[in-house]
């Protein structure tokens, strides 16, 4: 696909993402869907309203009525689509910096579109084939202000509310100024938690921290956990489809470790789980211990969703899936990454023992990620060619499901282009930080050298 990546399409506003482009995406989606109504939602980004207006115009121009949900978490928008049996357009760049925005497309079953459906829409965009309506057949727009409340009630009905309330937990929460600010604080309080917040004012400039919930961006949350003697800290990204945790000592828990703990609690013998090619050994170990099958896909929510659906068609049970970035699926609840639901499932475990104890079995590995930015297609090509050469010369058999993954027994390294940003990512994992850093830097140096010779 040229336009859609591993989780919709994203770009810097005014450069690779413009209102004109979003208008065309909406016209193409409305043409392909052939639906009477479509829902539109956005996160808190300052450019969100502009792109919503563009998308609404595009949909109306092909004769589609629009339900404007306003600012809601992506899982709230997905729930609305499923409940109303309407497709949806979500204006969000998820964890990207404030200058980015993007578009996710959701089917009328409440699931992000699979690759083949995105390709159909992409074909219409590239060919500019739109079913433009006559003047008296254009669509209308209505505001729907209940999506967040309905979503929160649905969450409350699907988690162990009594167990969490009985634990009398104090929770520190950092929604990162994103859409989760409008739902998660009240949701946690209704679960019986004492909630302390930081960066909880909706603000698309992300003044308190960058949207991506990684350790270096969560210092305020770590301090809040320590200052309030909280039992756990929770952080979201911009559209609140991720949850990352801080333990009771104010130390950030890696997403790989929390995914392993959540998977260990959910999986049973004979189950299947799905993760991406950058999967941590932690999840591999959990699956081997439980007797569950681990299925690997290219990185990105779209690819995981596609594989989960394939496993369902084979009659397999997939109680949990996800990546080590805080994005966890509970497919038997809803096939979407849902930050608030992930948080509640983790709280069900914290009700029994502290977070540090929960993840202790999964802290033997260290992860390093290096991002190599590029400005021109020639630089990307040079880095990917260098990655291929590096993999061929390595003393390991590469897995080419998505990029180049080299497994060394005690460690692994992966090189792949980002599906959402102009970057090539280098991942490494080992039992020591030194070994992981060495592997990542060695691979990254090969790519840097290739660009330097251009």
């Amino acid at each position: 696909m040229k336009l859609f990546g591993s989780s919709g399409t994203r770009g810097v506003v005014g450069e690779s993402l413009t209102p004109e482009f979003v208008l065309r995406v909406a016209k193409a989606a409305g043409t392909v869907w052939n639906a009477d109504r479509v829902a539109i939602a956005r996160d808190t980004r300052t450019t969100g309203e502009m792109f919503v207006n563009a998308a609404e115009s595009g949909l109306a121009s092909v004769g589609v009525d629009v339900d404007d949900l306003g600012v809601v978490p992506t899982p709230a928008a997905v729930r609305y689509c499923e409940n109303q049996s309407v497709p949806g357009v979500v204006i969000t760049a998820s964890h990207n910096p404030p200058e980015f925005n993007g578009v996710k497309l959701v089917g009328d079953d409440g699931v992000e579109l699979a690759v083949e459906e995105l390709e159909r829409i992409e074909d219409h965009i590239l060919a500019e084939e739109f079913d433009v309506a006559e003047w008296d057949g254009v669509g209308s727009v209505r505001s729907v202000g209940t999506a967040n409340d309905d979503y929160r009630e649905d969450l409350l009905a699907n988690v162990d509310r009594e167990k969490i309330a009985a634990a009398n937990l104090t929770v520190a929460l950092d929604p990162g100024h994103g859409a989760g600010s409008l739902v998660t604080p009240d949701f946690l309080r209704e679960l019986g938690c004492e909630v302390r917040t930081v960066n909880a004012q909706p603000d698309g400039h992300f003044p308190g921290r960058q949207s991506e919930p990684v350790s270096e961006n969560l210092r305020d949350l770590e301090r809040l956990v320590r200052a309030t003697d909280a039992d756990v800290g929770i952080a979201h990204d911009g559209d609140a489809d991720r949850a990352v945790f801080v333990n009771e000592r104010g130390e950030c828990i890696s997403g790989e470790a929390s995914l392993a703990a959540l998977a260990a609690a959910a999986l049973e013998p004979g189950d299947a789980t799905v993760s991406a090619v950058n999967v941590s050994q932690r999840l591999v170990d959990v699956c081997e211990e439980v007797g569950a099958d681990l299925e690997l896909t290219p990185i990105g929510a779209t690819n995981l969703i596609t594989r989960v659906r394939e496993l369902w068609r084979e009659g397999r049970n997939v109680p949990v899936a996800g990546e080590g970035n805080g994005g966890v699926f509970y497919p038997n609840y809803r096939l979407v990454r849902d930050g608030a639901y992930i948080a509640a499932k983790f709280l069900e475990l914290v009700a029994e023992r502290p977070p540090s104890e929960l993840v202790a079995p999964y802290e033997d590995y260290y992860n390093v990620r290096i991002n190599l930015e590029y400005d021109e297609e020639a630089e990307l090509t040079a880095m990917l060619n260098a990655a291929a050469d590096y993999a061929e010369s390595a003393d390991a058999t590469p897995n080419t499901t998505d990029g180049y993954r080299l497994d060394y027994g005690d460690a692994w390294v992966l090189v792949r282009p980002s599906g959402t940003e102009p970057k090539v990512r280098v991942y490494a994992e080992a039992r020591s930080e030194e070994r992981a850093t060495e592997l990542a830097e060695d691979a990254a140096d090969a790519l840097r050298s290739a660009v330097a010779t251009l």
Side-chain angles (χ1 to χ4, degrees), residues 31-88:
T31 297
V32 169
W33 284 330
N34 194 29
D36 294 328
R37 264 194 311 146
V38 170
I40 288 186
R42 65 183 178 95
D43 65 18
T44 59
R45 290 166 193 274
T46 59
T47 56
E49 187 172 0
M50 174 179 72
F51 288 121
V52 164
N53 291 338
E56 288 176 346
S57 296
L59 288 165
S61 75
V62 295
V64 177
D65 293 332
V66 176
D67 292 351
D68 187 339
L69 308 185
V71 177
V72 303
T74 290
V78 165
R79 181 205 169 275
Y80 184 88
C81 291
E82 178 188 32
N83 184 263
Q84 296 292 315
S85 298
V86 298

Side-chain angles (χ1 to χ4, degrees), residues 103-383:
V103 183
K104 289 183 182 180
L105 300 176
V106 180
D108 59 10
D109 56 355
V111 180
E112 289 184 40
L113 297 190
V115 171
E116 60 269 19
E117 296 171 284
L118 290 172
E119 287 176 341
R120 287 181 61 207
I121 292 172
E122 186 172 283
D123 288 343
H124 280 263
I125 296 170
L126 296 173
E128 297 197 7
E129 294 177 350
F130 312 123
D131 292 339
V132 178
E134 298 290 337
W135 69 270
D136 56 352
V138 300
S140 61
V141 178
R142 66 164 184 156
S143 295
V144 176
T146 59
N148 280 333
D149 289 340
D150 293 343
Y151 165 59
R152 192 177 68 252
E153 289 299 321
D154 187 64
L155 287 167
L156 289 167
N158 284 280
V159 300
D160 196 337
R161 192 172 179 177
E162 293 183 0
K163 180 178 183 179
I164 295 170
N168 296 314
L169 299 174
T170 297
V171 177
L173 173 67
D174 182 352
H177 301 292
S181 304
L182 302 177
V183 175
T184 305
D186 288 340
F187 169 54
L188 295 178
R189 291 185 179 104
E190 289 181 86
L191 287 177
C193 301
E194 187 75 21
V195 181
R196 299 288 182 264
T197 62
V198 64
N199 303 321
Q201 306 80 22
D203 190 332
H205 294 92
F206 306 132
R209 71 162 170 88
Q210 289 294 302
S211 182
E212 188 170 15
V214 292
S215 178
E216 56 266 31
N217 294 336
L218 300 181
R219 302 304 182 218
D220 287 346
L221 180 60
E222 293 174 344
R223 284 190 287 269
L224 182 62
V225 168
R226 293 191 292 268
T228 61
D229 197 27
D231 295 288
V232 65
I234 300 168
H236 292 320
D237 60 339
D239 66 334
D241 68 350
R242 299 189 194 184
V244 171
F245 304 99
V246 171
N247 70 21
E248 73 280 7
R249 297 192 293 263
E251 302 162 340
C252 190
I253 297 171
S254 73
E256 291 86 358
S258 58
L259 172 60
L262 291 166
L267 290 170
E268 295 184 358
D271 286 342
T273 188
V274 179
S275 194
V277 69
N278 63 339
V279 65
S280 170
Q281 188 67 29
R282 300 164 175 89
L283 185 57
V284 175
D285 292 344
V286 166
C287 291
E288 289 180 351
E289 182 176 343
V290 171
D293 294 326
L294 174 61
E295 301 279 338
L296 297 185
T297 74
I299 292 173
T302 300
N303 299 309
L304 271 70
I305 288 168
T306 298
R307 186 57 185 145
V308 169
R309 290 174 125 174
E310 290 171 350
L311 289 167
W312 279 348
R313 288 193 287 270
E314 296 170 11
R316 301 297 303 276
N317 183 41
V318 189
V320 67
E323 298 174 277
N325 57 11
V328 182
F329 293 88
Y330 283 89
N332 295 337
Y333 166 59
R334 186 167 288 119
L335 190 49
V336 64
R337 299 182 300 191
D338 188 331
Y341 188 79
I342 299 163
K345 299 304 288 184
F346 198 73
L347 290 180
E348 290 176 7
L349 304 181
V350 173
E352 298 178 351
R353 50 187 173 143
S356 61
E357 293 183 16
L358 283 173
V359 301
Y362 316 112
E363 292 189 324
D364 292 340
Y365 280 76
Y366 293 84
N367 293 83
V368 173
R369 187 177 82 176
I370 299 172
N371 293 322
L372 302 175
E373 297 185 6
Y374 61 88
D375 297 318
E376 301 174 357
E377 196 71 19
E379 293 176 337
L380 172 61
T381 300
M383 285 195 281

Side-chain angles (χ1 to χ4, degrees), residues 89-111:
V89 177
V90 183
I91 304 297
T92 178
S94 188
H95 65 279
N96 292 109
E99 65 269 23
F100 282 76
N101 216 323
V103 183
K104 289 183 182 180
L105 300 176
V106 180
D108 59 10
D109 56 355
V111 180

